[in-house]
Amino acid sequence: MSWIKEHSLNWFQSLALRIIKTGKVPKHVAFIMDGNRRYANKQNLEKREGHSKGFDKMAETLYWCMDLGIVEVTVYAFSIENFKRNKEEVDNLMDLARQKFKRLLEEKEKLMDMGVCIRVIGNLSIIPEDICKLIAEAMTVTKENNRAFLNLAFAYTSRDEITHAIKDIIQGVKDTDILPEDITEDLITDCLYTYKSPNPDLLIRTSGETRLSDFLMWQISNTCIYFTEVLWPEFSIWNFLSAIFYYQRCYPHLQKNRSLKPIMHNNRVSMYIDKLHNKRDSTIEKIYLSAVQS
Ligand code: FPP
Ligand code: MG
């Protein structure tokens, strides 16, 4: 299964999508794709197959998002907490990731044609090296694309993300690139894994769990959150459009709290931020180069 599954909707589904599209469409939607194992259990499948169906649903949902005009999508593909699952399940999830990133690279022309930029947000130092190389390659070859953005949260938790931001800031202070009084909310925002993205407008979590599971905790203080009972592999176009309709009803309230001020740093902080971002980009490029040269 490709990463973006071109799936024709029937005329009625298509009409419903066009009607929803006349209203406010979120620019950035995040998903907690929960319920794969319960789905597998319900269908008498192996857990592994539940996750594989979960990937297929992600590919179908990405197509719906593009069709609706959503520019950016962030999905919770693997939490650092998921490493605590039994070895067989962790290995199966890593195998799925390996196989899907290889597939992505085989089909990169399609992503280039669609203008999709792939970004992985998470702690790359705890991901198996071969997967890290595939990720670096996917990010490097698609980095100039700007028609749509797919952020995969992989080996991610917000606590880890914030811890890393704090460590980077402390290093900046030690190196005298910045001063303690430069530490602001805006500086922390620019040191997160998500620094390239605006905050999500809508977060959707499936499977009836009403928790946030350490996902984008810094970024969603003013995000519309939609919980639905449906298990992720069963998420349908109707569930998707219901979530968008819910967002359209929330939108006027969200606007009241939204800060429209762009982030402005002083010169010292701007130089530090540029240095940090360049360092992160060059780390990815180095992993990519080591992969293509080996
Ligand atoms: C949560 O369901 C889902 C996950 C832990 C994995 C989600 C991953 C995908 C849908 C595919 C990701 C894509 C790549 C490239 C790897 P669960 O296991 O918590 O199920 P449960 O809530 O029923 O127990
Ligand atoms: Mg779960």
Side-chain angles (χ1 to χ4, degrees), residues 121-182:
I121 53 166
N123 189 338
L124 295 188
S125 70
I126 52 174
I127 298 173
E129 201 184 330
D130 64 321
I131 299 181
C132 220
K133 287 182 177 171
L134 295 169
I135 287 173
E137 193 170 348
M139 285 173 72
T140 306
V141 297
T142 64
K143 75 175 182 191
E144 302 297 340
N145 292 345
N146 59 10
R147 254 179 286 152
F149 299 89
L150 171 60
N151 308 308
L152 280 146
F154 197 80
Y156 175 91
T157 59
S158 292
R159 281 172 297 172
D160 175 73
E161 178 181 40
I162 294 168
T163 306
H164 267 82
I166 292 171
K167 284 185 177 167
D168 281 333
I169 290 169
I170 290 174
Q171 195 57 50
V173 173
K174 277 190 184 160
D175 296 343
T176 64
D177 287 338
I178 46 172
L179 301 173
E181 54 266 36
D182 291 328

Side-chain angles (χ1 to χ4, degrees), residues 3 33-39 51 54-55 58 76-77 82 85 89 93 96-97 100-101 152 154 207 232:
W3 277 67
M33 310 179 287
D34 196 20
N36 291 350
R37 296 182 299 183
R38 274 168 281 170
Y39 171 81
H51 291 308
F55 178 89
M58 182 185 90
Y76 208 177
N82 292 151
R85 293 187 178 187
E89 190 180 351
L93 277 161
L96 179 69
K100 297 301 179 185
F101 279 113
L152 280 146
F154 197 80
S207 93
W232 174 250

Side-chain angles (χ1 to χ4, degrees), residues 27 33 59 64 68 78 80-82 89 105 113 116 127 133 139 146 152 162 166 176 193 197 226 237 239-240 245 281:
K27 289 191 183 69
M33 310 179 287
W64 298 334
L68 196 64
F78 191 84
I80 291 176
E81 292 296 310
N82 292 151
E89 190 180 351
L105 293 169
D113 286 348
V116 180
I127 298 173
K133 287 182 177 171
M139 285 173 72
N146 59 10
L152 280 146
I162 294 168
I166 292 171
T176 64
Y193 296 144
S197 302
Y226 183 79
I237 181 75
N239 300 127
F240 175 66
F245 185 54
D281 285 347

Side-chain angles (χ1 to χ4, degrees), residues 36-129:
N36 291 350
R37 296 182 299 183
R38 274 168 281 170
Y39 171 81
N41 211 16
K42 200 167 129 185
Q43 303 290 331
N44 279 321
L45 299 170
E46 300 278 332
K47 281 183 201 146
R48 182 170 41 88
E49 292 172 89
H51 291 308
S52 174
K53 295 276 181 211
F55 178 89
D56 296 349
K57 182 55 69 179
M58 182 185 90
E60 197 178 353
T61 306
L62 291 175
Y63 187 67
W64 298 334
C65 288
M66 288 192 89
D67 207 358
L68 196 64
I70 294 166
V71 185
E72 182 145 3
V73 173
T74 302
V75 291
Y76 208 177
F78 191 84
S79 159
I80 291 176
E81 292 296 310
N82 292 151
F83 278 115
K84 294 181 185 156
R85 293 187 178 187
N86 69 46
K87 184 174 176 332
E88 188 190 353
E89 190 180 351
V90 173
D91 287 350
N92 284 336
L93 277 161
M94 290 298 147
D95 275 345
L96 179 69
R98 195 172 278 115
Q99 182 199 323
K100 297 301 179 185
F101 279 113
K102 280 186 185 156
R103 179 74 195 257
L104 181 149
L105 293 169
E106 281 159 19
E107 298 186 322
K108 65 178 176 232
E109 295 313 323
K110 190 172 160 192
L111 289 176
M112 302 311 273
D113 286 348
M114 288 174 142
V116 180
C117 170
I118 304 282
R119 296 175 184 144
V120 175
I121 53 166
N123 189 338
L124 295 188
S125 70
I126 52 174
I127 298 173
E129 201 184 330

Side-chain angles (χ1 to χ4, degrees), residues 204-264:
I204 301 173
R205 180 175 188 147
T206 56
S207 93
E209 302 292 339
T210 48
R211 294 177 280 121
L212 297 170
S213 300
D214 219 344
F215 185 48
L216 304 177
M217 299 303 291
W218 183 275
Q219 296 86 346
I220 57 169
S221 61
N222 194 37
T223 293
C224 171
I225 300 178
Y226 183 79
F227 294 109
T228 169
E229 293 287 322
V230 68
L231 302 175
W232 174 250
E234 292 172 334
F235 188 70
S236 70
I237 181 75
W238 300 116
N239 300 127
F240 175 66
L241 294 179
S242 303
I244 304 295
F245 185 54
Y246 179 77
Y247 166 79
Q248 293 181 336
R249 281 179 294 145
C250 284
Y251 179 72
H253 308 289
L254 297 172
Q255 275 315 90
K256 281 185 210 149
N257 301 324
R258 179 138 291 194
S259 158
L260 295 171
K261 273 195 298 177
I263 291 186
M264 297 287 279

